[in-house]
């Protein structure tokens, strides 16, 4: 089970970093989302991987429970990453509407050439 979770975190991190290095806005936003998913899985796994255990002590005191702190951290991280993704989408949409391109490293000469291409099409 630990190997599957560790490889999932690795694959999500690798995919997120790969998408972050793209030159378009949308893949960068997807890369940030993948990285946030990787961090969420990592935080969740840091509280021990346990199956069929309650997150709090039972009143009979059998002593098997999972740590509720990573679960609370992941829930908070999910809410924050959703808000951050919405803000990034709005920033990317505004940049696209202003420049008529979703390229990140666009120069003014390239912007003029892209605008001419769009006008011809």
């Amino acid at each position: 089970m630990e190997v599957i979770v560790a490889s999932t975190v690795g694959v999500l991190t690798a995919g997120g970093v790969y998408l972050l290095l793209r030159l378009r806005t949308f893949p960068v936003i997807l890369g940030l989302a993948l990285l946030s998913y990787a961090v969420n899985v990592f935080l969740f796994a840091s509280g021990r991987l346990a199956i069929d255990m309650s997150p709090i002590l039972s009143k009979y005191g059998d002593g098997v429970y999972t740590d509720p702190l990573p679960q609370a951290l992941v829930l908070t991280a999910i809410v924050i990453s959703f808000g951050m993704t919405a803000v990034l989408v709005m920033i990317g949409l505004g940049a696209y509407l202003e420049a008529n391109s979703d390229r990140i490293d666009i120069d003014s000469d390239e912007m003029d050439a892209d605008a001419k291409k769009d006008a011809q099409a």
Side-chain angles (χ1 to χ4, degrees), residues 3-22:
V3 173
I4 294 172
V5 173
S7 62
T8 301
V9 170
V11 167
L12 285 173
T13 303
V17 169
Y18 175 76
L19 287 174
L20 273 177
L21 298 175
R22 301 293 93 201

Side-chain angles (χ1 to χ4, degrees), residues 56-71:
I56 56 174
L57 288 172
S58 67
K59 69 179 173 178
Y60 301 112
D62 52 354
V64 288
Y65 64 95
T66 61
D67 189 11
L69 183 64
Q71 297 172 17

Side-chain angles (χ1 to χ4, degrees), residues 84-121:
M84 179 88 142
T85 303
V87 167
L88 286 174
V89 165
M90 293 309 295
I91 290 172
L93 182 62
Y96 174 75
L97 291 175
E98 183 179 328
N100 282 339
S101 177
D102 65 341
R103 289 183 57 94
I104 293 174
D105 64 338
I106 196 161
D107 293 332
S108 61
D109 297 334
E110 291 178 11
M111 188 169 64
D112 294 336
D114 287 341
K116 288 179 184 177
K117 282 184 197 176
D118 291 339
Q120 291 174 356

